[in-house]
Amino acid sequence: MSQASTTSSSAPAAAQIRREASRRRTFAVISHPDAGKSTLTEALALHARVIGTAGATNGKDNRRETVSDWMQMEKDRGISISSAALQFAYRDTVINLLDTPGHADFSEDTYRVLAAVDCAVMLIDAAKGLETQTMKLFEVCRARNLPIITVINKWDRPGLDPLALMDEINERTGLTPMPLTWAVGFSGDFRGVWDLRGEEFVRFTRQNSGASLALEEHLDLDAAAEQEGDAWSTAQDEVELVTDSGAEFDRDLFLAAKGTPILFSSAALNFGVKQILDTLVDIAPPASPREDRDGGRRPVEAPFSGFVFKVQAGMNKAHRDHVAFIRVCSGVFERGMVVTHANTGKTFATKYAQHLFGREREVIDEAWPGDVVGLVNASALRVGDSLYLEEPVQYPPIPLFSPEHFRVARSKDPSRYKQFRRGIDQLEHEGIIQVLRSDRRGDQAPVLAAVGPMQFEVVEDRMTQDFNAPMRYEQLPYSLARLTTPDAAEVLSNVHGAEVLQRSDGEFLALFNDVWALRRVEKNHSSVQLTPIGTAAPTSTAY
Ligand SMILES: Nc1nc2c(ncn2[C@@H]2O[C@H](COP(=O)(O)OP(=O)(O)OP(=O)(O)O)[C@@H](O)[C@H]2O)c(=O)[nH]1
Ligand SMILES: [Mg+2]
C-alpha cells in the first residue's frame, strides 16, 4: 500500500492537490433529446485540438458520428443511449466532460452523472425553447444546487426570438439569464457572436461543412456596427433590453445556482464554441470539497476518496471487460494504490486505471480531485459505492429510480442458457435494468424492470451483440412497484393485479397493474408493508 508515500509528503502534496483540483472543470452536457449535446461535445474537443476534425458524415440523414456515441445502437439510431466521459487539456485546465443521453428512458444514467459533476452545460434548441426534459433537468440541477451554463444551440436554423427565449428561461426556471455572448444575425442567419466580456464581435465562416474549426474574424464594436449594419443594431437593442432588466453577469449568482450565463452557438458549424470552452475555464467551479453521507465535507487535500457513478461493459470488444467510472473527490489517485471499498470494508487494488475519451482509453498513473477514472474489471464495484484511502468516507447514495415497465426475458435458444444468464447478470451489474426473480417463475424467466421501454431494446441488442445470447420478451401488465417484505409474497399470491419478486440486491418488490390495484391491497391487506422506491422516474406522470 502506498500510504507511507502519501502521508509522509503530505505538506507539499496538499498544496499540489489543491492546485490540481483548482485546474479541474468537471461538468455534464445535458438537454432534451436532440438539442446537440454529442455534437457540442465533439466541437469542444475539436476546439481543444484533441481531435482533428469533427466526425465524418456517415451518410444516414447526413448525421455525423461523434466520439461520444460509440455504441452500435447509438450510431444506428443517431441518439445517445449511455453517457460518455471525455478528458482533455485546454489552456491551463483539465476538462472532464460527460456527454449524457437526452431520452427520458435513459435518464437514470443522466441523473447518476449529475451526482458526479460540479456544473452542467444545458443546451436549448433555438427552434424549440424549453422542452419537457429541459424542465426536468433544470429541476434536478436545482435540487442539487448545481450551477448551469445555458447554451442556445442550432442558431444556424430558423428559431425563436432571443428575447422571448430569455423571458421563457427566467419565468419557467426562476434563473436570471445572464448573457455572456449574444448572437448577431437572426436565427437562421447566424453571423457571429458579440462577446460581451471581451467587447468584440467574432464573425464566423463555416469550413468543411462544419467538420473543421470555423474561420474567425475579430472586430471591434465600431467595425462590427459598420460592417454588420442592421444585424448589429438589432443585437445592440436586444442586449440593451436584456442587461437593462438586471441580467449582467454575476459569478456569485451563477455559482449559487440562481442565475445562468447564456451563450449562443451552432455546434454543428463550430460557431460560438470556443466561447463556451473559455467560459468553462474562466467561470465554472473547480473541484471543491464534496459533501459526504453525514453532511460533512472532506477537504480536497485529504487522502484519496471517490465514488462510482457508472459501470459500463462492452467498451472494448476484444477484452470484454467492464469499467467502473470513479469521480475522484479528494487526494491523489495513484494507479496500483490499494484502497478500501467502503461498502464491504475490503481492500481493493487499483491495478488497471485508465482515463477515458469516449470508448478510447489510456492507462493513467495518477488522477486528482474532479477527474474521472475508469477502473477496469473492478467487478466488486457498483454504482454509488465509495472508495477511500486511510480515513473512511461514504458519499451520498445515488438515488435509484422506481421502475415502471416490466417484462419477462427468455433465452431464444435453450442451449445458450448459460450465456443468457451471464448477459443478464452483467447488464444488471451495469445498472441498465433491474432483475427480479421468484420461485414461481423460475430462473429461466427473470423479470426485467426498467424506467423506460427503450432500456429493454438496449438489453436485447446487447444480449445479441455482446453475449451472443438472442432473447425474447413477454409483456407484463405491471406499471408500479413498491418495496415490501418476504411474507408479502404469500399474502399477494392470490391477489389479482399484483405479484412479489425479489431483486438481485435481496430487496422484495411488490408489482401492481396500476394505482387501483395498489390501493386495493393497501385497503384489504393492511398488514403488508409497501414503501415507495427511491425517486419516482422522471418519465412518470407522478414526478
Ligand atoms: N443545424 C444544426 N444541427 C445541429 C446542431 N447541433 C446538432 N445538430 C444536429 O442535431 C442532431 C442531434 O444532434 P446530437 O448531437 O446527436 O444531439 P444530442 O443532444 O446528443 O441527442 P441525444 O443524445 O440523443 O439526446 C444531429 O443531426 C446533429 O447534426 C446545430 O448547431 N445546428
Ligand atoms: Mg447525444
Side-chain angles (χ1 to χ4, degrees):
M1 199 147 147
S2 57
Q3 267 194 16
S5 62
T6 14
T7 35
S8 62
S9 55
S10 62
Q16 192 188 0
I17 294 169
R18 280 198 297 271
R19 198 164 53 242
E20 290 295 339
S22 72
R23 301 204 299 130
R24 267 32 187 202
R25 300 290 180 274
T26 306
F27 60 93
V29 185
I30 56 174
S31 78
H32 191 84
D34 233 30
K37 296 176 291 298
S38 301
T39 310
L40 179 68
T41 297
E42 183 91 356
L44 291 169
L46 182 70
H47 280 79
R49 317 274 168 154
V50 280
I51 54 170
T53 48
T57 311
N58 73 356
K60 199 173 143 238
D61 295 329
N62 245 9
R63 190 177 185 280
R64 302 193 325 209
E65 279 192 19
T66 58
V67 278
S68 45
D69 288 342
W70 54 265
M71 283 170 67
Q72 192 55 45
M73 204 171 149
E74 294 180 315
K75 293 188 198 170
D76 291 346
R77 300 193 181 200
I79 60 167
S80 301
I81 285 171
S82 177
S83 52
L86 274 73
Q87 188 190 66
F88 53 86
Y90 178 68
R91 284 174 38 192
D92 53 350
T93 61
V94 175
I95 305 272
N96 287 285
L97 183 166
L98 290 137
D99 176 24
T100 65
H103 200 291
D105 285 12
F106 307 123
S107 46
E108 201 161 27
D109 188 319
T110 302
Y111 286 32
R112 287 171 185 161
V113 166
L114 285 173
V117 295
D118 300 318
C119 167
V121 172
M122 170 75 85
L123 260 65
I124 294 176
D125 184 326
K128 302 199 172 134
L130 303 182
E131 302 176 82
T132 334
Q133 283 303 106
T134 326
M135 291 311 297
K136 283 178 177 159
L137 288 163
F138 267 120
E139 267 172 51
V140 180
C141 292
R142 191 200 337 263
R144 296 200 153 271
N145 238 350
L146 209 56
I148 302 174
I149 294 171
T150 301
V151 172
I152 315 286
N153 190 37
K154 303 199 185 184
W155 200 256
D156 56 303
R157 290 264 191 83
L160 303 167
D161 172 70
L163 291 175
L165 264 169
M166 294 306 111
D167 284 345
E168 196 188 359
I169 290 171
N170 188 218
E171 277 161 25
R172 294 185 60 198
T173 69
L175 297 172
T176 307
M178 307 181 291
L180 290 178
T181 68
W182 197 261
V184 176
F186 55 83
S187 52
D189 178 32
F190 195 6
R191 304 196 186 181
V193 293
W194 178 356
D195 179 342
L196 297 167
R197 284 187 309 160
E199 297 201 3
E200 60 168 1
F201 170 55
V202 187
R203 185 160 56 204
F204 300 107
T205 312
R206 79 166 77 173
Q207 298 292 300
N208 192 8
S209 309
S212 305
L213 294 178
L215 201 71
E216 271 183 29
E217 296 165 82
H218 295 252
L219 279 71
D220 66 31
L221 304 190
D222 291 337
E226 195 179 305
Q227 294 182 27
E228 293 298 334
D230 285 351
W232 184 260
S233 43
T234 306
Q236 250 178 338
D237 291 346
E238 289 165 347
V239 167
E240 212 166 279
L241 276 168
V242 178
T243 39
D244 271 359
S245 59
E248 269 196 64
F249 179 66
D250 173 343
R251 186 163 184 240
D252 291 338
L253 217 56
F254 159 61
L255 293 178
K258 294 197 162 70
T260 179
I262 305 276
L263 296 100
F264 287 79
S265 74
S266 164
L269 301 184
N270 289 308
F271 289 13
V273 174
K274 181 170 184 293
Q275 287 69 20
I276 300 172
L277 203 49
D278 285 330
T279 297
L280 282 158
V281 172
D282 295 338
I283 68 160
S288 55
R290 282 188 88 77
E291 194 164 300
D292 64 22
R293 204 167 279 202
D294 308 319
R297 284 183 190 272
R298 186 176 173 103
V300 287
E301 64 271 27
F304 165 77
S305 69
F307 64 90
V308 182
F309 64 94
K310 178 182 170 74
V311 177
Q312 170 92 54
M315 292 175 80
N316 183 340
K317 276 243 154 65
H319 296 100
R320 298 207 165 275
D321 50 9
H322 60 260
V323 179
F325 289 51
I326 317 282
R327 147 89 198 213
V328 179
C329 299
S330 67
V332 50
F333 170 87
E334 292 165 342
R335 183 164 55 87
M337 193 158 92
V338 178
V339 299
T340 306
H341 180 205
N343 303 66
T344 58
K346 290 191 177 145
T347 53
F348 184 88
T350 57
K351 210 161 148 199
Y352 303 103
Q354 303 186 322
H355 104 197
L356 305 154
F357 191 79
R359 90 180 309 177
E360 289 167 36
R361 302 172 343 200
E362 213 170 77
V363 172
I364 49 157
D365 291 321
E366 55 184 28
W368 306 88
D371 281 343
V372 172
V373 174
L375 287 185
V376 182
N377 284 348
S379 54
L381 301 183
R382 301 211 166 229
V383 170
D385 288 1
S386 300
L387 298 171
Y388 62 81
L389 190 69
E390 297 170 23
E391 297 155 29
V393 63
Q394 288 224 26
Y395 289 100
I398 295 183
L400 208 59
F401 284 178
S402 191
E404 295 181 1
H405 299 267
F406 305 88
R407 290 185 192 176
V408 175
R410 283 184 196 278
S411 176
K412 261 189 189 161
D413 175 357
S415 73
R416 299 197 61 76
Y417 176 65
K418 236 174 68 189
Q419 287 83 349
F420 171 80
R421 280 306 306 267
R422 199 155 52 89
I424 295 286
D425 286 351
Q426 174 61 52
L427 297 176
E428 193 264 329
H429 185 143
E430 284 180 43
I432 289 184
I433 26 107
Q434 297 177 28
V435 180
L436 314 176
R437 294 189 171 84
S438 70
D439 289 344
R440 187 169 75 73
R441 291 189 177 272
D443 263 359
Q444 313 272 345
V447 170
L448 308 191
V451 168
M454 263 168 79
Q455 287 173 266
F456 294 124
E457 293 176 48
V458 175
V459 170
E460 197 176 351
D461 191 72
R462 296 267 315 266
M463 288 294 281
T464 314
Q465 301 290 331
D466 297 358
F467 301 95
N468 192 14
M471 52 156 298
R472 63 189 169 83
Y473 286 119
E474 284 160 25
Q475 291 280 359
L476 286 173
Y478 308 122
S479 69
L480 210 66
R482 290 285 184 271
L483 286 175
T484 189
T485 48
D487 49 309
E490 176 76 40
V491 183
L492 298 188
S493 61
N494 292 317
V495 173
H496 177 72
E499 178 176 348
V500 174
L501 294 117
Q502 189 173 21
R503 200 164 60 186
S504 307
D505 63 357
E507 294 282 3
F508 285 83
L509 264 65
L511 311 187
F512 300 93
N513 277 3
D514 47 35
V515 70
W516 308 112
L518 168 68
R519 297 235 171 102
R520 256 195 324 273
V521 169
E522 283 174 335
K523 188 163 154 242
N524 299 337
H525 305 277
S526 54
S527 65
V528 173
Q529 268 184 42
L530 298 168
T531 323
I533 305 171
T535 325
T539 42
S540 159
T541 42
Y543 182 77

